[in-house]
Amino acid sequence: MKIEEKVKKAFEQETPDCRQRVLWECEREIQYPAPPEQKEEKPAKAGYWVVIKRLLAACACLAIFVCGLLVGKILPGSSPALPTEQTHVYLDVNPSVELVLDEKDYVLSCTAVNEDAESILQGMNLKGVEMKTALNAVVGAMYVNGYLAADENSILISVDCADEQKTDVLIADYTTQVNEIFSNSQINCSIIAQSVKADEALSRRAEENGVSVGKMHLIDKMVGGMDEFTEDDAADLSKMSIKELHMIYSHKPEKGEPDEDKKDEVISGDVGGYVTVAEAVRVTLEDIGVSAEEAETKGVLVLPARQDNAFIMVYCITVQVKADGKVYVYQINCQNGEIVQSEALGETPNEPEHGGQNGGQPEHGQPDEDDEPEHGGHGGVPMQP
Amino acid sequence: MLVIFTLTNEEMQTKNATIENLLGRIARGETAAMGGLYDVIKTDVFAYALSKTANRQDADDIMQDTFVQIYKYAKQYKPQGKPMAWIITIELNLIRRLFQVKSRSVSFDAAFENTPIKTDYEQRTVNNIFLKELLNKLSEDEREVVTLHIVSGMKHREIAKLLQKPLSTVLSKYNRAIKKLQCIVKESK
């Protein structure tokens, strides 16, 4: 190896990897700019005229100040314009943070909604900072403090903007920005970005359940939009992490035709730390004893299932074998791909073979009245013991 | 005969254009460009800091501070096709400030204590020894010229202007440094 190559390679190998630290320090620099260096002042010239000039300058400043006050009092509507609150942005990972922005997207306040957020915001003053910088700082701090990682990569961004037309733009911008923050790292964020209107009822429910307004709104959408949940499930859903809620919500069945113009919600990225849908389907087919070509997957849901006084996330997979038309419903543990429960139904999903539960098939609605579900409640996935 | 391995003119122009583009984006407030800039010049910045300070901890601190200063003052950079000179100037000012507040009696051996272990231990150890040897046996001026020319790809004329030294001084220091490095390589075989 040539000497120059050896030198260059040696330095390259020794160079530390402090990329994330540098980026974070840059963000902190904007919040805590270093005081300007004190320049050496030339000694003032002593003298009569120097004193007179200073007095005159002071009088001029005082006069301008007084005039300014008088103008402010006399002219109607001449009170200095205070920045107005226009947008509330809620960031939920596990730490929950609320940012209030003015009409120019500068931060008016940044509040920790829970204890974890208090620790990451400690010493961070984001007031007066542009939202883009603040978002970098907060998300960066969550990453540096270990709240965001390859298998814990879910972020919920909720935007409540007085200007409704701006909401869609902000949702798209923040999603892009968070993806860019991690563009060169090992993490692919899974993001739900949504619009929210924080009225009194929502705020009260959020407080009662100990979650942010954004998380409560997502739970409300799940309860209202998924047949598998009722209002009674809201409290249990509040205890789940953003990662778990993201997993459920991103696999919810679409009702009707998807609205392509709908921009008030963006769901992107795969939730890390879980077995993929493809793998769960493969385990199912293998257990049934058929190949992918011999069966048709009728539906895949993700739902919480109670196991030993805790919740686990399960894929609810409905498969129909083409040859004999038999339908199988499987619950596969999202964490490890193990079969939690399996059931063979009749030739069509409405004819259970064993008189058990209907098993999570959203296109067929509620179970028949004559069915006696083993666990009660929703099709196939118990929320109550 | 010395065979010089540095960036070709074309590679250097591309690198400079990339750096200027990133500085422009940072000046316009695109924070994401800072990551890109870090990836392009991290070794240049670190190598220069280490060559001047001969202290790993100081070099790490200077490296981070340099990037923060770049981020802060990117708007003041005027594109002239020589961004590395601007960056090295920032770094040099930080190093001078550091020297003002501390003594420089740290031995170079201390710079490599507690170095994190990487994958290929044998090769890394050899590289470390080589780097330690070459930087211990070269004077600070020689180290400076070697890192600016070999790692950052700056031309001798640019180095002379940056360090405000005669071109002949820079060339002679570089040649002397390369001869010392050749001796080190021979001794290690």
Side-chain angles (χ1 to χ4, degrees), chain A residues 3-6 9 11-16 18-19 21-23 25-27 29-30 37 136, chain B residues 3 5 31 35 38-39 47 56 60 67 71-72 97 112 118 123-124 127-128 131 147 150 182:
Chain A
I3 287 173
E4 289 84 355
E5 278 180 51
K6 273 177 106 70
K9 191 169 180 180
F11 277 113
E12 281 170 356
Q13 286 177 349
E14 279 305 317
T15 303
C18 54
R19 190 180 197 274
R21 180 83 199 175
V22 162
L23 293 179
E25 288 289 336
C26 288
E27 294 299 343
E29 178 58 31
I30 296 298
E37 286 182 16
N136 265 328
Chain B
V3 178
F5 175 78
T31 317
Y38 174 87
D39 293 332
R56 178 59 191 266
D60 285 357
F67 279 107
Y71 184 64
K72 228 170 118 182
R97 200 185 303 169
F112 286 95
K118 293 185 186 175
Q123 188 175 353
R124 195 189 167 286
N127 281 345
N128 260 345
L131 189 58
T147 50
I150 294 178
Q182 283 174 329

Side-chain angles (χ1 to χ4, degrees), chain A residues 215-244:
Chain A
K215 188 173 176 181
M216 196 68 237
H217 181 61
L218 178 65
I219 292 168
D220 284 349
K221 286 197 294 188
M222 288 165 68
V223 166
M226 293 177 71
D227 296 332
E228 288 74 20
F229 297 116
T230 67
E231 281 183 17
D232 295 335
D233 298 321
D236 284 329
L237 289 171
S238 299
K239 295 189 185 91
M240 290 187 184
S241 65
I242 294 297
K243 173 180 168 178
E244 288 164 336

